[in-house]
């Protein structure tokens, strides 16, 4: 018999709303005016609190009605209690649970996820607010006027305030615009919090994530690998390959600071704290003229959010690390944000850590190579990492805003190798520190100026004590970069925008190598300064059907006394209300790149070192790229297709990581990629799924090598990714898989070598492929509400659920004991579980 009791409040609310809306065609009068009229007519007085009656508007009861009938009518329509407290006095009061602001939670009608930054306004008043990251808003009880809800990507909504005048904060659904073209400006892409924009970029907001297979939290650089065309041939985030490029060909920015280190655990974990409310813009082609370097892609990470974002704190821990986040409002115009993360690996060896360790340290000096080289030794390692960020935000007056940011990232490894006779220690340290200052002035609604300065310092150092002898090798790779940027934006008309700016960058690189036996020492210092002028114009029609941006970047390099002009193009046109076509093009250049001198440099783990172009044996890399694509969006269907051609010239062979006959070559060449990327996505209420496919034909051209043309080391010719995600209230489950063809490798011509000339003879380079890669991943998470302001999130994931043994690299070496050639394989992660617990308060 509980059902009738539960239905009564709903029926009463329905009746109230029905009466209210039925009266819209008649003259509605504020309740306060009605009470004043009754007081005069019937010679009585009402006692009430204004806030408890101001929300009501209704048709006045007939003047001829008795006083008791009038009171009953008001009680029936408003649900207020009217109690006689004297011969001529009546008290009016509401239910105690209604003594609160008007509040609600705005959610997406398709996936029930919260929508932030929605404008909510009481009509004909100055009272307004915006929803926070949980979709929550609240308004004071000041008027019976309709509440207006507006968001650029959703249909507008009018809410009767009585819908919010209830004990709890109701959930209100908003529907994506289906009759207009604005929906494709920022449409859901792969999962909640990932959007495809009209300018060709991908916008990622990890703090709005649903869930992705294999992830327990929104790891920034793991997430971008879900995007078609972005992969990692060795399953790391320190070797991200965008459309067949190398990792150093990606420009990474954090709040305007160029980052030279992007990973923890030497590539398995992103170095950017997932607790930060960051937004990531990923551009594979057609980048703004304000982005230089990064001939493969630009990845711009920003934690600069709105000043009125909610204030909160969080702590969390998983089987690898623990982290915290805190946002403090210092004044009404200033915030301070701090976050930190520290590994647990140096005092807690979880199964997750053991698998990560086996993956990272395989085939390096840390691994016991007894099975291959008959070296009888034991290794013990001590490893930890941390990162910390700080941000200060200050509004100055009504037109100025200042951001000051700092970030520090570090990996540290200590290795002890010993036998029954001797013991040797080796160390490896990797650190990136950066700071930036960003000042923005809004001169008017149509013009603003932005000034930004940054400094970034990177250091990779190692000390390697050889176990077989007393040889000691010290190595250093350091980068110090400083830059300043000015940017002016003019909104010329409703459809035309002009941007112009200037950038200055100075980068210094130091490389140091020293061996004690026989003594050898080498230290090089290189410095390069560049000046850049930028002009960029944009047109976007008022109907949002057409977007056109054309930019020019003019680079001047002091050291070479040379100019480079780089045009940029973004064009997007709506063909119908559901179909858009996109044309993107760019020319870019890059002066800072990574090379590998020896595969065992820096303990064989972080063997790549940064170096500057010298226009001699290391030229400036230059890219040319053009792509043509289209997107189809209808209800919960999304289909995108991109076809592209990309050419990078000025690459060096020792920057490509060869482990065959070209390992010690010093050749200059280029590579060309012809590719297609397809995404098919569909939502079924609370369940949605996608499948993506990418094809790459990626070829090297080195004119001084034989043969001159062959497959690229980073070619994954066919890649398929699938995921299915179910979200129900606070429970999320994600299952997904990845499959791709194996990377190319080179086979030897024989299985033995001549002892008098122990050299491996190889077949044609990269003429073979490793076995296909397949991995099945799963994740699940659940949110728990704790009180009014706190919540607990628990997450679990399993990488490589089927424990598939995937070979991701193969090279060959000589076994000096019997002069045979043996293959050395590197494998992807085994079945790896992880859990995460996060408390937000």
């Amino acid at each position: 018999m509980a059902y009738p009791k539960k239905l009564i409040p709903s029926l009463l609310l329905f009746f109230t709303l029905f009466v209210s809306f039925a009266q819209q065609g008649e003259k509605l009068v504020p309740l306060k005016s009605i009470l004043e009229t009754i007081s005069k007519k019937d010679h009585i007085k009402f006692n009430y609190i204004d806030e408890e009656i101001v929300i009501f508007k209704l048709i006045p009861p007939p003047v001829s009605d008795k006083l008791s009938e009038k009171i009953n009518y008001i009680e029936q329509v408003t649900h207020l209690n009217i109690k006689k407290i004297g011969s001529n006095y009546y008290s009016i009061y509401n239910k105690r649970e209604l003594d609160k602001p008007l509040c609600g939670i705005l959610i997406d009608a398709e996936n029930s996820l919260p929508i932030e930054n929605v404008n909510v306004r009481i009509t004909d008043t100055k009272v307004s607010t915006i929803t926070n990251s949980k979709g929550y808003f609240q308004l004071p009880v000041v008027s019976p006027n309709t509440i207006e809800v507006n968001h650029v990507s959703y249909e507008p909504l009018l809410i009767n305030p009585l819908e919010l005048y209830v004990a709890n904060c109701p959930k209100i659904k908003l529907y994506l615009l289906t009759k207009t073209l604005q929906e494709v400006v920022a449409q859901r892409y792969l999962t909640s919090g990932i959007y495809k924009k009209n300018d060709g970029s991908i916008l990622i907001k990890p703090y709005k994530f649903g869930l992705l297979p294999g992830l327990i939290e929104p790891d920034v650089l793991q997430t971008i690998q879900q995007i078609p065309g972005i992969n990692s041939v060795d399953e790391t985030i320190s070797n991200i390959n965008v459309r067949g490029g190398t990792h150093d060909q990606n420009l990474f920015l954090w709040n305007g600071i160029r980052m030279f280190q992007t990973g923890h655990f030497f590539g398995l974990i992103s170095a950017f704290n997932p607790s930060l409310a960051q937004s990531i813009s990923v551009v594979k082609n057609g980048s703004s003229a304000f982005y230089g370097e990064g001939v493969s892609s630009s990845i711009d990470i920003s934690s600069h959010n709105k000043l009125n974002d909610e204030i909160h704190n969080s702590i969390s821990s998983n089987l690898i690390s623990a982290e915290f986040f805190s946002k403090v409002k210092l004044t009404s115009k200033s915030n301070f944000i701090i976050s930190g993360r520290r590994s647990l690996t140096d005092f807690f060896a979880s199964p997750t850590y053991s698998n990560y360790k086996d993956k990272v340290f395989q085939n390096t000096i840390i691994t016991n190579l007894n099975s291959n080289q008959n070296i009888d030794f034991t290794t013990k390692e001590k490893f930890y990492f941390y990162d910390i960020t700080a941000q200060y935000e200050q509004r100055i007056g009504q037109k100025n805003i200042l951001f000051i940011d700092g970030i520090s990232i570090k990996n540290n490894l200590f290795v002890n190798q010993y036998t029954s006779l001797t013991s040797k220690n080796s160390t490896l340290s990797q650190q990136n520190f950066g700071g930036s200052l960003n000042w923005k002035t809004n001169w008017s609604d149509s013009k603003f100026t932005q000034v930004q300065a940054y400094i970034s310092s990177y250091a990779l150092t190692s000390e390697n004590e050889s176990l077989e002898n007393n040889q000691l090798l010290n190595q250093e790779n350091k980068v110090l970069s400083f830059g300043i940027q000015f940017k002016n934006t003019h909104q010329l008309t409703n459809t035309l925008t002009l941007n112009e700016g200037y950038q200055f960058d100075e980068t210094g690189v130091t490389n140091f190598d020293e061996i004690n036996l026989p003594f050898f020492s080498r230290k090089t210092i290189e410095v390069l300064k560049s000046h850049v002028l930028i002009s960029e114009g944009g047109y976007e029609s008022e109907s949002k059907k057409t977007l056109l941006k054309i930019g020019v970047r003019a680079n001047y390099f002091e050291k070479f006394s040379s100019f480079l002009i780089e045009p940029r193009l973004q064009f997007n046109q709506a063909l119908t209300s559901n179909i858009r076509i996109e044309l993107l093009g760019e020319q870019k250049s890059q002066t800072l790149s990574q090379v590998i001198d020896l595969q065992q440099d820096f303990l064989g783990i972080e063997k790549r070192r940064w170096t500057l172009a010298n226009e001699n044996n290391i030229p400036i890399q230059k890219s040319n790229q053009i792509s043509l694509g289209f997107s189809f969006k209808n209800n919960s269907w999304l289909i995108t297709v991109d076809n592209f051609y990309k050419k990078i010239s000025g690459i060096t062979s020792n920057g490509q990581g060869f482990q065959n006959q070209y390992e010690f070559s010093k050749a200059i060449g280029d590579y060309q990629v012809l590719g297609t990327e397809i995404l098919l996505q569909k939502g079924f209420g609370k369940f949605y799924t996608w499948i993506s496919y990418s094809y790459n034909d990626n070829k090297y051209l080195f004119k001084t090598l034989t043969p001159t043309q062959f497959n690229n080391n980073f070619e994954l010719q066919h890649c398929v990714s699938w995921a299915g995600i179910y979200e129900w209230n606070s429970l999320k489950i994600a299952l997904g898989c990845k499959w791709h063809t194996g990377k190319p490798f080179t086979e030897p011509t024989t299985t033995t070598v001549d002892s008098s000339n122990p050299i491996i003879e190889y077949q044609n380079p990269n003429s073979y492929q490793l076995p296909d890669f397949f991995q099945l991943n799963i994740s699940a998470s659940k949110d728990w509400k704790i009180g009014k302001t706190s919540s607990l999130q628990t997450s679990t994931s399993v990488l490589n659920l089927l424990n598939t043994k995937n070979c991701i690299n193969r090279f060959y070496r000589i076994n000096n004991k019997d002069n045979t050639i043996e293959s050395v394989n590197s494998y992807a992660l085994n079945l790896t579980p992880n859990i995460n617990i996060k408390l937000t308060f």
Side-chain angles (χ1 to χ4, degrees), residues 36 99 101 177 386 418 430 432 460-461 464 473 528 563 616 624 650 660 698 723 725-726 768:
E36 291 174 352
D99 288 335
L177 289 167
Y386 72 80
Y418 58 93
Q430 184 182 32
N432 201 159
L460 175 64
T461 60
N464 184 3
L473 171 63
L528 183 62
F563 285 94
N616 183 15
N624 293 273
N660 53 18
N698 192 346
I725 300 174
Y726 178 75
Y768 291 82

Side-chain angles (χ1 to χ4, degrees), residues 145-176:
N145 295 353
T146 302
I147 296 171
E148 188 178 64
V149 177
N150 285 292
H151 189 280
V152 66
S153 298
Y154 291 85
E155 294 179 357
L157 180 67
L158 295 177
I159 304 174
N160 189 303
L162 291 177
E163 294 183 54
L164 308 180
Y165 197 65
V166 291
N168 298 315
C169 300
K171 291 184 177 180
I172 302 166
K173 294 181 179 180
L174 296 186
Y175 293 85
L176 282 169

Side-chain angles (χ1 to χ4, degrees), residues 113 130 204 212 223 264 350 475 517 622 651 726:
L113 294 173
I130 62 172
I204 303 174
L212 288 172
T223 299
H264 283 316
S350 67
Q475 295 182 301
L517 293 174
K622 301 171 186 176
I651 64 171
Y726 178 75

Side-chain angles (χ1 to χ4, degrees), residues 157-423:
L157 180 67
L158 295 177
I159 304 174
N160 189 303
L162 291 177
E163 294 183 54
L164 308 180
Y165 197 65
V166 291
N168 298 315
C169 300
K171 291 184 177 180
I172 302 166
K173 294 181 179 180
L174 296 186
Y175 293 85
L176 282 169
L177 289 167
T178 56
K179 303 296 184 182
T180 70
L181 296 164
Q182 292 185 8
E183 64 176 291
V184 293
V185 173
Q187 58 193 16
R188 176 171 171 157
Y189 188 83
L190 300 180
T191 187
S192 309
I194 305 182
Y195 309 94
K196 176 76 180 289
K197 299 180 67 178
N198 274 358
D199 60 6
S201 65
I202 306 295
L203 177 64
I204 303 174
K205 295 185 175 182
Y207 60 97
K208 293 185 66 178
F209 265 10
L211 195 65
L212 288 172
L215 301 184
I216 54 171
E217 53 186 350
D219 186 295
V220 171
L221 300 185
Q222 292 284 5
T223 299
I224 68 172
Q225 293 183 49
Q226 307 289 329
I227 299 170
I230 302 180
N231 304 288
S232 175
V233 295
D234 61 3
E235 201 190 23
T236 67
I237 52 85
S238 61
N239 191 16
I240 293 176
N241 314 115
V242 179
R243 291 180 170 173
T246 54
H247 183 77
D248 60 305
Q249 292 173 345
N250 305 312
L251 173 68
F252 291 93
L253 299 174
W254 185 84
N255 289 339
I257 306 167
R258 184 169 185 183
M259 303 302 298
F260 304 101
Q261 176 185 348
T262 58
H264 283 316
F265 220 127
F266 302 107
L268 289 182
I269 303 170
S270 169
F272 307 106
N273 193 326
S275 292
L276 280 171
Q278 300 169 125
S279 296
I280 303 102
S281 176
V282 181
V283 184
K284 295 183 286 185
N285 185 21
S287 58
S288 166
F290 283 87
Y291 289 114
E293 298 284 313
V295 291
S296 273
S297 75
S298 299
I299 299 168
D300 192 351
I301 306 168
S302 174
S303 63
H304 293 169
N305 296 297
K306 297 189 181 209
L307 188 68
N308 56 1
D309 276 358
E310 62 187 59
I311 305 303
H312 71 274
N313 309 279
S314 68
I315 54 174
S316 64
S317 181
N318 55 53
L319 297 181
I320 294 292
S321 62
E323 62 196 56
F324 75 92
F325 169 86
S326 182
K327 182 173 183 178
V328 181
K329 183 175 282 296
L330 303 177
T331 68
S332 61
K333 292 188 175 184
S334 62
N335 287 333
F336 180 73
I337 299 172
I338 187 169
S339 74
R341 176 171 48 167
R342 213 278 191 185
S343 65
L344 310 174
T345 53
D346 48 343
F347 58 87
F348 172 58
S350 67
T352 308
Y353 167 71
S354 297
N355 284 1
Y356 278 25
K357 180 186 70 173
D358 293 343
K359 163 68 172 66
V360 172
F361 298 150
Q362 61 184 320
N363 301 321
T364 69
I365 72 154
I366 299 168
T367 309
N368 189 328
L369 302 178
N370 182 53
S371 59
N372 288 321
Q373 294 281 24
N374 297 318
I375 301 173
D376 186 15
F377 68 85
T378 304
T379 298
K380 289 184 179 180
E381 76 287 329
K382 184 177 181 181
F383 168 74
Y384 73 88
F385 66 78
Y386 72 80
D387 59 73
I388 186 167
T389 67
Q391 176 181 310
Y392 175 73
E393 178 182 0
Q394 176 70 58
R395 288 195 183 275
I396 303 171
Q398 298 297 318
K399 296 184 177 182
N400 304 284
I401 185 168
L402 170 69
F403 288 97
I404 301 175
D405 297 279
I407 185 170
S408 181
I409 300 167
K410 186 172 185 178
N411 290 325
N412 198 80
L413 174 66
F414 173 82
V415 183
N416 175 240
Q417 294 177 317
Y418 58 93
T419 66
S420 57
L421 300 176
T422 186
S423 175

Side-chain angles (χ1 to χ4, degrees), residues 9 176 344 468 506 630-631 731 737 802:
L176 282 169
L344 310 174
E468 291 91 357
E506 180 176 355
F630 81 88
S631 64
L731 175 65
C737 64
L802 301 181

